[in-house]
Amino acid sequence: MRILTLPDSSGGLSLTDRPTDDDFPPLPHGLTLDDAVAIRASGVRAGDLVVAEFSDGPGVRPTEHIPAPYLANPHAVGVDCPCGGCAECQDLETWTLAEPDRVAGVAMRFICLAPAENSEPCTIVLRNRPLAVISSDVVKRAQSAVEKPREPVYSVTWHCDFDASTPQEAVRLAYEQLLSYATDAWPPVLDVEDEQGERLTIDMNTGSEVGR
């Protein structure tokens, strides 16, 4: 367990260990709760990983771990939301329609931290709600550390001239010659081109570059 402190409060938040059952997979990219900090929902930035929530009020605030932590994409409630009318937005609209005076206070009280995605509704929380997040900078560094660098791509071609009466016969002769390379024939000379268009020729018999 860790004690986190909100920037605007002297009180501590007890961040308990993340559950280990099947509903709570490990955090991505090797991140742990040791990387988490406390912040109110209104201060969450795009790309922050939201991992837990706390109740807002005095006394003990139990940790509500989020089974599937999400990358935040905060925006004002009801403003340019791409969800097209998810269940959470509809419930909020119903709540405001029941008492029109509530409309003005919605933007002041609530914030959407993540728009609806994959049939999941928008994540709408009170702006003052304390959260445990891992900052976007830490997330990006962890992701870069675990990502395997992409291997370069090379285009390899083989050229050979054949005396043949038809294209089909030329293909057959080429195929036969390719098969022979696997047995006792002289290995081929291959042209190699990288993604920048640089070309070189490799003699498979010696494994060295040759000139043209």
Side-chain angles (χ1 to χ4, degrees):
M1 182 178 71
R2 293 179 60 214
I3 302 298
L4 305 181
T5 304
L6 289 166
D8 59 356
S9 174
S10 59
L13 300 170
S14 298
L15 179 61
T16 58
D17 293 339
R18 183 171 173 82
T20 56
D21 58 58
D22 293 340
D23 293 331
F24 293 86
L27 299 180
H29 316 313
L31 293 165
T32 70
L33 293 182
D34 290 338
D35 301 303
V37 296
I39 194 169
R40 296 195 187 276
S42 59
V44 173
R45 300 175 303 171
D48 287 351
L49 184 69
V50 184
V51 297
E53 298 183 355
F54 304 91
S55 60
D56 183 26
V60 178
R61 304 180 186 185
T63 307
E64 299 175 19
H65 290 278
I66 297 174
Y70 58 90
L71 292 176
N73 180 21
H75 62 82
V77 174
V79 178
D80 298 327
C81 184
C83 75
C86 71
E88 287 294 327
C89 288
Q90 290 176 356
D91 287 346
L92 192 59
E93 183 178 2
T94 300
W95 182 73
T96 55
L97 289 175
E99 206 171 310
D101 291 343
R102 295 171 174 169
V103 175
V106 166
M108 296 178 61
R109 295 184 60 195
F110 296 93
I111 186 171
C112 179
L113 292 182
E117 189 176 53
N118 298 328
S119 75
E120 293 293 327
C122 288
T123 303
I124 299 175
V125 299
L126 290 167
R127 295 177 63 87
N128 208 42
R129 173 65 61 86
L131 305 173
V133 307
I134 299 176
S135 71
S136 59
D137 292 341
V138 175
V139 173
K140 289 177 182 177
R141 286 198 298 270
Q143 185 175 8
S144 298
V146 300
E147 283 183 345
K148 182 180 180 181
R150 186 180 69 84
E151 296 288 347
V153 176
Y154 295 95
S155 175
V156 180
T157 55
W158 167 74
H159 300 279
C160 191
D161 296 327
F162 295 94
D163 293 328
S165 57
T166 64
Q168 290 78 8
E169 183 183 1
V171 169
R172 180 182 59 78
L173 292 172
Y175 181 64
E176 290 176 353
Q177 182 164 330
L178 287 172
L179 289 177
S180 71
Y181 289 141
T183 55
D184 57 355
W186 191 264
V189 174
L190 302 175
D191 292 331
V192 183
E193 182 175 339
D194 64 18
E195 294 172 291
Q196 285 72 46
E198 295 291 330
R199 301 187 66 178
L200 54 86
T201 302
I202 301 293
D203 185 338
M204 289 296 293
N205 184 56
T206 62
S208 60
E209 180 180 354
V210 299
R212 283 289 188 179

